[in-house]
Amino acid sequence: MAANRRLLVSAMVCATAIAGLSACSKSDSGNGGSGAAKEPTATASSKPVDPFKGLSADQIADKGIETTKGATSLRMAGRVKTDGDLMDVDFAVDDKGTCTGTMGTDGATAELLQTDDVMYMKGNEKFWTSMGKEEGSSGEEAAGIAEMLKGRWMKIPADEGPGEMCDLKGMVSDMDDDKSERTGMTKGPDAEVNGVPAAVVVKKKADGETIEMYVAKEGKPYLLKVHVVGGDEPGTMVFSDYDKPVKAVAPPADEVVDMEKLQGLGDQGAGAA
């Protein structure tokens, strides 16, 4: 059976596309080279001190990206549009390659986990049926694949699945790929994300696309949310659970289908024919 690489790559793109759009240009913050924001403190009037006081919008965005790049783990959840389809993503990943989460589009949903450098995926019937058809299987063949995998996990060979999806360092490093996307940002009104105060910086592009980045004003200045309106891949991604353990346990062997063995059987059958 052909690998479902296209969907895996699409999921990875969905989970990181908005984060990639949020990358900012590196600017000299003029604070003596300290990359971390100071914890907010109280003045004599008990009014919290703005940890980003004196920084430009570009510098606030830069601080959020740089801090996020140093995280040992994070969770991202949201909905984005890619290739014309809306995809929901809820995914946790750490810097050791452990990850777990769900993704879905138009009723086709799947769970995904990776532990000890082995990736597993369990999809519902619509997921496997649609994937089978996209890989060129007939309707009958796709239905057979879905039935065989019903309630079971597929073990995905390392060279077939996108390792980038569980590569936290690579994922956040992509945020700095195109620094020109981050220049010319402006400050918007402060907001809250899951109860955490956030500075909001905005980039309005000539093509009508607007990017909003929310950077934490309490604790470490992590990126909390990215919201994109307009453009080819609009959507929202919320980031949370920074530096928390990501727990992923390999499923029982009797619930696993090894894709490499299935491919081997398929090759033997083709040879016999």
Side-chain angles (χ1 to χ4, degrees):
M1 185 183 70
N4 292 306
R5 182 175 180 82
R6 181 178 180 276
L7 178 109
L8 291 172
V9 172
S10 295
M12 183 271 292
V13 169
C14 281
T16 59
I18 287 185
L21 286 172
S22 69
C24 60
S25 61
K26 292 186 176 180
S27 305
D28 180 6
S29 63
N31 61 359
S34 176
K38 296 180 180 179
E39 295 285 346
T41 57
T43 65
S45 62
S46 297
K47 183 179 180 180
V49 174
D50 185 351
F52 303 131
K53 184 178 181 180
L55 297 186
S56 68
D58 286 3
Q59 290 170 335
I60 293 172
D62 184 56
K63 191 172 286 290
I65 294 296
E66 288 302 314
T67 306
T68 298
K69 286 168 64 176
T72 59
S73 66
L74 60 81
R75 176 184 177 187
M76 58 178 70
R79 171 175 287 185
V80 294
K81 188 174 184 179
T82 182
D83 294 331
D85 296 322
L86 289 174
M87 180 172 282
D88 294 305
V89 176
D90 191 342
F91 198 72
V93 58
D94 68 17
D95 58 359
K96 298 178 178 62
T98 303
C99 60
T100 181
T102 61
M103 57 188 178
T105 179
D106 193 26
T109 61
E111 299 174 65
L112 183 97
L113 69 85
Q114 179 167 297
T115 182
D116 297 327
D117 296 323
V118 180
M119 184 176 287
Y120 303 88
M121 175 176 282
K122 182 167 72 172
N124 64 5
E125 182 177 357
K126 186 172 183 179
F127 175 88
W128 291 123
T129 299
S130 62
M131 288 306 99
K133 290 180 178 179
E134 286 189 12
E135 294 291 346
S137 300
S138 66
E140 184 176 350
E141 290 172 335
I145 292 170
E147 181 62 28
M148 177 183 62
L149 294 171
K150 185 176 182 179
R152 305 176 77 181
W153 292 84
M154 175 178 283
K155 181 180 178 182
I156 302 173
D159 60 349
E160 295 285 359
E164 299 94 336
M165 194 169 186
C166 294
D167 177 10
L168 176 62
K169 295 300 183 183
M171 188 182 296
V172 295
S173 291
D174 287 344
M175 295 179 179
D176 269 334
D177 275 355
D178 188 356
K179 296 179 176 62
S180 65
E181 293 281 354
R182 328 308 166 201
T183 58
M185 304 191 87
T186 60
K187 294 181 181 178
D190 286 355
E192 286 192 357
V193 179
N194 293 329
V196 180
V200 181
V201 293
V202 182
K203 171 68 177 287
K204 293 185 177 181
K205 301 174 66 176
D207 62 3
E209 182 181 74
T210 298
I211 304 168
E212 297 177 352
M213 292 177 57
Y214 296 67
V215 183
K217 296 184 71 173
E218 287 185 356
K220 294 182 178 180
Y222 284 125
L223 184 64
L224 298 180
K225 184 170 80 170
V226 177
H227 180 57
V228 179
V229 179
D232 295 330
E233 295 184 333
T236 302
M237 195 67 65
V238 176
F239 302 87
S240 62
D241 293 351
Y242 281 102
D243 302 321
K244 293 184 178 180
V246 177
K247 298 180 180 179
V249 179
D254 60 356
E255 296 180 11
V256 175
V257 175
D258 191 327
M259 194 167 76
E260 283 186 320
K261 293 181 180 179
L262 287 177
Q263 289 175 323
L265 290 174
D267 292 342
Q268 291 177 14

